[in-house]
Amino acid sequence: MSSAKPNPHFANASSWKEAAKLVDFEPLRPRDTRGLEVQSFYVHVRDHKKRELSRRSRSLEVHYGEFVLSQARKGESEARRWALSTSYGSDPRSVDVAGREGRMYPPGPEPEPDDIDPRMPAVVTWCDGEMFYLVASEGLDAESLLAIAQSCY
């Protein structure tokens, strides 16, 4: 059991069903999880001023240990901007995620031993209508994340 202090900005859910009740979209569930089980569900429920977010404004993070899957309703133009224009690393590559536009970023270079910043994770992002999706991992490569993303459909 973690002794970390609870984060007031997030609510924990114990299952996919419970997580779905906290948001206003049907969460995508990857079939390919690289054999990993869900470790935790976090729903962003309060903003930086600790004001409660509407169900429509909430996002869901599903942690599998080696990777995280984030899902949020952003509206079509914002979802597209977050998925295709926002940078999540260097050397982005356009990818197809089951017929949806996306970007794939390889992990960043290993930092120097005295660098306080960690290595940038591998990331895959895509949009599907109003929805924005991101899969990230410090341990898995970008190709594995792409397979995970594609398995959501």
Side-chain angles (χ1 to χ4, degrees), residues 6-110:
N7 186 329
H9 301 285
F10 291 87
N12 289 13
S14 61
S15 66
W16 284 101
K17 186 176 181 179
E18 188 178 313
K21 290 179 183 177
L22 297 172
V23 296
D24 84 332
F25 54 87
E26 184 62 36
L28 292 184
R29 297 174 67 166
R31 289 180 314 285
D32 179 353
T33 64
R34 303 286 130 152
L36 300 165
E37 298 292 325
V38 172
Q39 292 189 352
S40 58
F41 298 90
Y42 293 103
V43 178
H44 187 214
V45 294
R46 288 184 192 79
D47 69 12
H48 66 286
K49 292 185 177 180
K50 297 185 182 173
R51 295 175 295 205
E52 185 151 345
L53 297 170
S54 69
R55 287 181 67 235
R56 182 170 181 78
S57 299
R58 294 177 180 181
S59 61
L60 170 63
E61 290 181 7
V62 185
H63 294 259
Y64 286 85
E66 281 290 312
F67 71 92
V68 62
L69 169 61
S70 179
Q71 311 179 41
R73 183 182 303 281
K74 296 287 185 188
E76 282 193 42
S77 63
E78 276 299 287
R80 187 169 180 76
R81 185 179 70 78
W82 279 62
L84 307 177
S85 299
T86 301
S87 177
Y88 299 92
S90 57
D91 302 320
R93 192 174 107 204
S94 294
V95 293
D96 178 287
V97 178
R100 291 137 185 102
E101 279 187 279
R103 296 286 181 272
M104 181 169 70
Y105 298 82
E110 287 290 340

